[in-house]
């Protein structure tokens, strides 16, 4: 019986001059070359950076490429329910430069025909719109089914510090890839006393199923009423005004991208 067992071992192993061991192969291609199944009943250690590691619970072996030892990695598999939107990206940013629009820069416009969805920013700049440059930002859409929400907030002020104010009509638009996606028209009403009247302008807009690509969001505003007062948007209407400062007057924009996930990042850490 012992002789028979030894013959099986000798018949199954192939050892060449370079100390390569082959099991069920006569031409091993590695230090240990197994032509068949491998069953492992106990621990497996890796020697990475001269440190033996058996990994952590639920980690898997991942190749690091040719000539490199494999390593332990943790799977990152998010749990998504089909046909549901998930918040994939959100960011917020601010601008303290703002706009100061004089009465001479006010324009006359047919609002119902000029301010329609898809109107280009370039066109509206010829009709009195000025961009708040610090609110121009990029964001990425990764899936065909998406909803993007924008929230723009700013302070609008006129410089009537010592006398009555004026009714000043203005509009602000949110643009995606230089096309109008949201617009709000508002009026800063007359004040019966001095005090540099101001209001907080809040605007929410959105876009659905943008192309899978990187996009740019921008904000621009226009003035439609003439008069004697300057209009500040995201900026004090006059440098000498004392009832608010630039920090209080600053503009902010928040971007939320919701998607039905289709593309995923790497699933390993």
């Amino acid at each position: 019986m012992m002789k028979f067992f030894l013959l099986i071992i000798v018949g199954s192993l192939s050892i060449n001059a370079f100390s390569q061991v082959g099991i069920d192969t006569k031409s091993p291609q590695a230090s240990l070359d197994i032509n068949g199944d491998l069953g492992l009943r106990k621990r497996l250690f890796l020697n990475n950076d001269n440190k033996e590691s058996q990994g952590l619970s639920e980690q898997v072996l991942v190749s690091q490429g040719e000539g490199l030892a494999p390593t332990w990695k943790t799977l990152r598999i998010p749990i998504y329910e089909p046909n549901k939107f998930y918040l994939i990206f959100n960011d917020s940013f601010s601008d303290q430069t703002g706009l100061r629009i004089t009465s001479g820069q006010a324009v006359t416009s047919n609002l119902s025909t000029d301010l329609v969805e898809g109107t280009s920013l370039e066109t509206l700049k010829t009709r009195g719109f000025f961009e708040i440059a610090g609110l121009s930002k990029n964001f990425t859409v990764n899936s065909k089914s998406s909803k993007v929400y924008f929230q723009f907030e700013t302070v609008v002020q006129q410089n009537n510090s010592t006398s009555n104010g004026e009714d000043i009509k203005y509009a602000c638009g949110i643009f995606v890839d230089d096309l109008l996606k949201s617009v709000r028209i508002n009026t800063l009403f007359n004040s019966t006393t001095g005090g540099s009247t101001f209001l907080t302008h809040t605007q929410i807009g959105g876009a659905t199923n943008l192309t899978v690509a990187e996009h740019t969001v921008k904000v621009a505003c226009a003035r439609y009423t003439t008069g004697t007062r300057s209009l500040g948007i995201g900026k004090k209407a006059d440098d000498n005004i004392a009832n608010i400062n630039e920090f209080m007057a600053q503009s902010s924009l928040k971007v939320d991208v919701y998607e039905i996930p289709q593309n995923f990042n790497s699933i390993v850490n």
Side-chain angles (χ1 to χ4, degrees):
M1 184 66 178
M2 181 62 71
K3 292 180 180 179
F4 181 69
F5 181 70
L6 290 174
L7 286 174
I8 292 176
I9 295 177
V10 172
S12 301
L13 295 178
S14 175
I15 304 175
N16 64 23
F18 299 100
S19 298
Q20 292 178 319
V21 177
I23 299 178
D24 205 16
T25 177
K26 294 182 179 181
S27 55
Q29 302 299 310
S31 298
L32 176 61
D33 190 343
I34 302 174
N35 182 20
D37 298 331
L38 172 65
L40 185 65
R41 298 179 183 274
K42 293 189 178 180
R43 296 174 294 177
L44 174 63
F45 288 85
L46 296 183
N47 186 355
N48 293 131
D49 299 325
N50 296 319
K51 295 180 181 179
E52 287 190 351
S53 171
Q54 57 183 317
L56 301 176
S57 177
E58 298 184 353
Q59 285 190 319
V60 298
L61 281 178
V62 175
S63 171
Q64 298 191 93
E66 184 177 356
L68 299 174
T71 188
W72 296 108
K73 291 289 184 179
T74 301
L75 289 176
R76 299 186 305 170
I77 304 179
I79 299 175
Y80 289 115
E81 295 184 38
N83 301 318
K84 284 193 174 183
F85 285 90
Y86 291 86
L87 178 61
I88 302 300
F89 170 86
N90 75 311
D91 196 7
S92 59
F93 29 91
S94 62
D95 170 83
Q96 292 190 22
T97 302
L99 303 172
R100 189 173 289 164
I101 307 176
T102 65
S103 174
Q105 294 172 309
V107 294
T108 301
S109 174
N110 186 335
L111 302 182
S112 62
T113 57
D114 288 349
L115 302 181
V116 297
E117 184 177 5
T119 303
S120 71
L121 177 57
E122 181 179 1
T123 296
L124 289 178
K125 282 183 176 180
T126 67
R127 298 173 185 175
F129 270 76
F130 297 90
E131 181 184 345
I132 302 177
L135 296 184
S136 176
K137 295 293 179 180
N138 295 333
F139 65 93
T140 300
V141 172
N142 302 287
S143 301
K144 293 180 180 179
S145 298
S146 66
K147 296 179 180 180
V148 184
Y149 296 98
F150 309 99
Q151 181 172 321
F152 166 58
E153 187 171 273
T154 192
V155 168
V156 181
Q157 184 183 45
Q158 59 177 304
N159 62 335
N160 60 313
S161 57
T162 59
S163 59
N164 292 351
E166 302 170 346
D167 292 346
I168 304 177
K169 181 184 288 186
Y170 70 93
C172 289
I174 299 173
F175 300 78
V176 176
D177 301 330
D178 290 330
L179 299 178
L180 184 63
K181 292 296 182 182
S182 168
V183 66
R184 291 293 180 270
I185 303 168
N186 207 346
T187 300
L188 180 60
F189 288 106
N190 175 29
S191 171
T192 58
T193 61
S196 299
T197 312
F198 64 89
L199 61 77
T200 299
H201 174 98
T202 301
Q203 179 175 341
I204 296 175
T208 302
N209 296 337
L210 295 174
T211 57
V212 177
E214 184 177 70
H215 300 273
T216 302
V217 59
K218 297 179 181 179
V219 176
C221 301
R223 174 176 176 167
Y224 294 114
T225 305
T226 60
T228 60
R229 306 298 179 188
S230 292
L231 184 70
I233 299 178
K235 183 181 183 68
K236 295 195 301 181
D238 188 299
D239 289 337
N240 297 320
I241 288 173
N243 62 339
I244 63 172
N245 55 39
E246 301 295 8
F247 174 74
M248 297 165 62
Q250 68 181 314
S251 303
S252 64
L253 181 65
K254 185 173 184 288
V255 180
D256 293 325
V257 180
Y258 290 83
E259 301 179 12
I260 297 178
Q262 292 176 295
N263 300 325
F264 302 94
N265 294 325
S266 172
I267 65 170
V268 295
N269 278 329

